[in-house]
């Protein structure tokens, strides 16, 4: 299971290992902005095999796509790339 906690423009992404009920922080980010918060970022989705987590984040106006291997304890960053032709992502899904 994965989820995002957001507060005043900052966010944290967590996964929970349902076998041992432990929580692991995958990523933190954002900017502390008390007004005009963008709740559309970050977006998370499990990739097919449920051992990789796909994360969309924004930094300095650019959208970045990252993949994390969460099959073992914690996280292992696999790759990150910039989505140059996209302004806003409202939803993601893998099948």
């Amino acid at each position: 299971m994965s989820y995002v906690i957001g507060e005043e423009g900052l966010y944290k992404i967590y996964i929970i290992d349902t076998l041992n009920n432990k929580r692991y922080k995958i990523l933190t980010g954002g900017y502390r902005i008390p007004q005009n918060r963008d709740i559309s970022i970050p977006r998370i989705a499990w990739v097919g095999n449920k051992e990789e987590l796909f994360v969309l984040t924004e930094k300095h106006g650019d959208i970045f796509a990252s993949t994390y291997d969460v099959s073992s304890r914690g996280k292992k960053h696999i790759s990150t790339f910039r989505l140059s032709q996209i302004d806003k992502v409202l939803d993601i899904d893998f099948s």
Side-chain angles (χ1 to χ4, degrees):
M1 181 169 80
S2 61
Y3 62 95
V4 177
I5 295 177
E7 184 177 318
E8 294 185 356
L10 300 174
Y11 61 83
K12 297 175 185 172
I13 300 174
Y14 292 97
I15 60 167
I16 294 179
D17 185 344
T18 55
L19 296 177
N20 59 17
N21 207 25
K22 288 193 176 187
R23 178 174 79 164
Y24 300 98
K25 187 180 346 176
I26 298 296
L27 183 66
T28 60
Y31 301 98
R32 186 174 300 278
I33 303 172
Q35 66 224 8
N36 298 329
R37 293 180 293 238
D38 184 2
I39 60 171
S40 66
I41 293 291
R43 292 289 178 196
I44 58 177
W46 289 102
V47 179
N49 62 5
K50 305 291 186 196
E51 293 182 359
E52 292 180 8
L53 187 66
F54 184 77
V55 179
L56 287 178
T57 57
E58 187 175 331
K59 187 172 185 178
H60 303 296
D62 293 326
I63 296 177
F64 291 89
S66 302
T67 308
Y68 295 89
D69 179 4
V70 295
S71 60
S72 61
R73 295 182 190 194
K75 66 174 182 178
K76 179 182 178 189
H77 182 255
I78 297 174
S79 66
T80 298
F81 55 93
R82 185 170 59 99
L83 304 174
S84 59
Q85 300 296 321
I86 297 176
D87 293 328
K88 181 65 71 181
V89 176
L90 300 177
D91 194 22
I92 58 174
D93 188 27
F94 282 92
S95 56

